[in-house]
Amino acid sequence: MTDRRGRGVDVGDLPGARRLVLVGVGVLFWGWLLARWLHDWVLAPDVNTSDREPFVPPARLEAVAEQLHDLAAGAGAAAGLLEWLAGGVEFAAFGVDSMPALAAGAWITVYLTVLSILLGLMIAIPLAVARTYGGPVLRWIALSYTELIRGTPLLAQLFVLYFGLPTTRYIREFHGVGEGFVPYAAIWVAVIGFTINSSAYQAEYIRSALQSVDPGQLVAARSVGLSRLEGIRYVVLPQGLRYAIPGWTNELVYLVKYSSLAAFITVPELFRAARNIGSDTFRVLDIYLVAALFYLALVLTLSVAMSRFEAAVAIPGVGSASERD
Amino acid sequence: MARLLEFDDVHQAFGDENVLRGISFGMDRTDVEVVIGPSGSGKSTLLRCVNRLTEFDAGDIRLNGESVTAMDVDALRRRVGMVFQGFNLFAHRTGRGNVTLGLTEVRDIPSGEARRIADENLARVGLSGQADSYPAELSGGQKQRVGIARALAMEPELLLFDEPTSALDPELIGEVLEVMRDLAEEGMTMLVVSHEMGFARSVADTVTFLDDGIVAERGPPEQLFEHPERDRTREFLGELDT
C-alpha cells in the first residue's frame, strides 16, 4: 500500500483511531525517554547506569504476575490464557527493569545517528556536486571515495579506525574529551566512521536528485550572470536537495540501525546496552525484543518527522510531493 | 562609433555538423532584429554564441566594439539578457524571487531594493498580482513574462529572445508578444529568434533569414516579406503560408 508519493503510508494519513493510538504511544515513549534522560543527567547525575531505578518499580508487576500464576493453578480451562497473561506481565516487568539502561543506550544511538548524518551531509553535498558538475579530476576523486566507502563493510571501516589506526590517541589529545557532556574517544571514532560511511551513501542519493533537476535551470542561472558555482548553490541545490529528501530519509533510517555496529568498538549504545543485559540475565530473546521496540520507536519517529519536514519545505512544482511539469 | 552588436564571420560546428558557416551582420542600439529560418538553420546557436552559452569556433562577436570572447563571461551575461523558449524559470523561487536572484547575487543590490526593482519589472510585464506565485502556479504566458522581467531587471544593453512563444498555447502567445512590442517601443535593443511572422512584420527593423548556417537574405520586413530576392527565402515563406 503506497500513498500518492509512492512511499509508505504516513502516520498522518491513517484513519482517526489508529492514528490516535500511534500518536499516544509516541507521546508516551518520548515523554518517558525525555523524563528519563532529564532525571539521569540533572537529578541523579552521579548514579551508575546499572544502578538506576526504573520509574515504575518492577516488583509491582512481578507481584501481579505471581497472582496470575496462582490464579492459573486453580482455573482449570482458563489456565492457559492466565499463564499466557502472566508471561506478558513478566515480560513487561523485565522490560521496565531494563529501561533505564536502554534509555542511556538510546541516547548514544540518537546522538551517533544525528551527528553522523549531519556531518555526513556536509561532506555528501560537495561530493555529489563534484560528481555531477566537477571536471574529470574532481569527478574521479569523488567517485573513488564513494566506491571505496560503499564497497567495503562498515564494520571493517570502524575496526580500521578504532583498532588499526591511532585515531583514539589523537582524539584523546583534544581538551575535554570524555568529560561532562563530551563523549569519550570510542564514541568519536564511531561518529567519524558513520560520518564517512553515510557521506558516501548520502552523496549518491543527492547526486541522483541533482541529476533530476532540469539542466535549463543552471543555463538560466548562468544567463543572468551567476557563476557556475553560484548557479549550483542558489538554483540547483535548493531544488535538488528537496528531491533528495525521501532517499535521504532512507539513509537516516538505515543509520539508526547501523549505529548498532558501534557496539563492536565498545560504544555502549542501545544494542550494546541490550547485549550487556542479555549476558547478565540470560533473557536474550526478551531483551532483544525490548531493544527492537526502541529501534522501532526511533525509526517511526524519524519517518514521521521527515515527512513533516518534507511537507514544510515543499514548493509547488518542486520535489517528490508534487507532479513535475 | 562601434555598433552595439556585430557578428563577424562567425563559425560553429558540433562534431562534423557545421551549424554556423560564416555569419556577418550588425545591429545598433534600439534596433529590433528578428531572425527567421527553418529548424536546424542555426538560429538558436547564433543567439547562444552572443552570451557564450555556446562558444563559437571562429570569427568574432563584438559588443560595443569589444570581442565577447575577451570579456569575463559573467560580466558579459549581465549585459546581455536572455529569454528562453522553455522559460527556464527557477522552479523553487516565486515570480519575484526569480527576478531578485540576479539583482542580489550578481548586481549586489540589497534585498529590499531588489524587491522594489523586481516588483517594478513585474508590473512592467503586467504581473503585479503574481509576484508571490511559484512558476508551477503560473500559465505559460505568465511564466514567459516573468522570464522577460527577470532579464529586464538586470538592465541589459541587449535582450536575446530564443523562440519565446514556441512553447506556448496559441491563445497565450499574444500576451507575450504584446510585452515584447512594448519593449521595442521603449527602445530596448532586441535580437529575436521567432516564427511569429506577424510580430516580425510589425515590430522588426530588420529581418534576417538564416538558412543552413548562413545569412541567406536580410532586409527590412516589408522588403523581405513582400519582395524576397532569393528563391530560398520565397520558398521558406511560402511553406509558412500554407
Side-chain angles (χ1 to χ4, degrees), chain B residues 167-178:
Chain B
L168 294 175
D169 292 337
E171 73 272 20
L172 301 175
I173 290 174
E175 60 188 77
V176 173
L177 293 181
E178 196 55 46

Side-chain angles (χ1 to χ4, degrees), chain A:
Chain A
M1 195 165 57
T2 55
D3 68 354
R4 66 195 175 283
R5 260 161 273 183
R7 295 188 294 121
V9 174
D10 285 343
V11 173
D13 297 335
L14 290 173
R18 270 197 287 168
R19 187 180 169 192
L20 209 66
V21 169
L22 259 182
V23 169
V25 170
V27 168
L28 206 67
F29 174 77
W30 280 103
W32 164 78
L33 195 56
L34 291 175
R36 189 76 240 181
W37 287 341
L38 218 64
H39 171 268
D40 293 346
W41 299 330
V42 182
L43 300 178
D46 298 322
V47 181
N48 256 332
T49 309
S50 51
D51 298 334
R52 284 175 187 156
E53 294 294 331
F55 290 148
V56 180
R60 239 181 257 170
L61 288 168
E62 279 158 13
V64 172
E66 219 36 63
Q67 284 169 355
L68 285 170
H69 279 304
D70 292 345
L71 273 177
L81 180 68
L82 286 169
E83 282 292 350
W84 185 80
L85 261 178
V89 176
E90 270 170 357
F91 173 72
F94 173 70
V96 164
D97 200 23
S98 56
M99 271 165 119
L102 292 181
W107 164 245
I108 297 176
T109 292
V110 168
Y111 189 101
L112 279 181
T113 306
V114 171
L115 206 58
S116 306
I117 197 101
L118 293 179
L119 291 173
L121 181 64
M122 282 154 67
I123 301 174
I125 292 173
L127 268 181
V129 169
R131 275 293 295 280
T132 316
Y133 296 103
V137 177
L138 270 180
R139 273 213 307 273
W140 185 84
I141 293 173
L143 176 74
S144 308
Y145 175 88
T146 317
E147 292 309 316
L148 177 72
I149 300 301
R150 293 200 311 157
T152 52
L154 174 54
L155 190 58
Q157 292 163 9
L158 287 178
F159 277 14
V160 166
L161 282 171
Y162 189 71
F163 299 113
L165 299 172
T167 321
T168 43
R169 210 171 65 215
Y170 291 131
I171 292 172
R172 282 198 198 99
E173 279 169 22
F174 281 99
H175 183 72
V177 166
E179 288 169 27
F181 268 82
V182 183
Y184 56 91
I187 296 189
W188 286 112
V189 174
V191 167
I192 293 170
F194 293 141
T195 296
I196 293 174
N197 188 272
S198 87
S199 70
Y201 285 92
Q202 290 184 62
E204 284 299 284
Y205 285 121
I206 296 170
R207 182 174 69 95
S208 78
L210 290 185
Q211 282 169 343
S212 69
V213 175
D214 173 14
Q217 294 284 315
L218 189 54
V219 173
R222 302 296 319 267
S223 80
V224 178
L226 290 166
S227 71
R228 202 172 153 77
L229 217 54
E230 287 172 330
I232 291 168
R233 174 175 162 202
Y234 293 112
V235 176
V236 177
L237 279 175
Q239 297 178 43
L241 290 179
R242 284 185 168 82
Y243 289 124
I245 292 174
W248 193 83
T249 304
N250 214 21
E251 173 60 18
L252 180 60
V253 164
Y254 273 125
L255 194 56
V256 171
K257 291 165 294 172
Y258 279 133
S259 70
S260 60
L261 290 180
F264 296 97
I265 58 167
T266 76
V267 174
E269 45 65 72
L270 184 50
F271 175 74
R272 194 177 172 96
R275 201 180 62 170
N276 289 345
I277 295 170
S279 48
D280 286 347
T281 61
F282 301 108
R283 296 182 66 171
V284 177
L285 177 65
D286 289 349
I287 192 59
Y288 285 135
L289 267 177
V290 178
L293 289 175
F294 268 74
Y295 279 112
L296 194 62
L298 292 180
V299 165
L300 278 178
T301 305
L302 286 174
S303 298
V304 172
M306 285 309 296
S307 58
R308 284 283 158 84
F309 176 70
E310 191 181 0
V313 299
I315 287 175
V318 181
S320 58
S322 59
E323 294 283 323
R324 293 186 70 194
D325 58 4

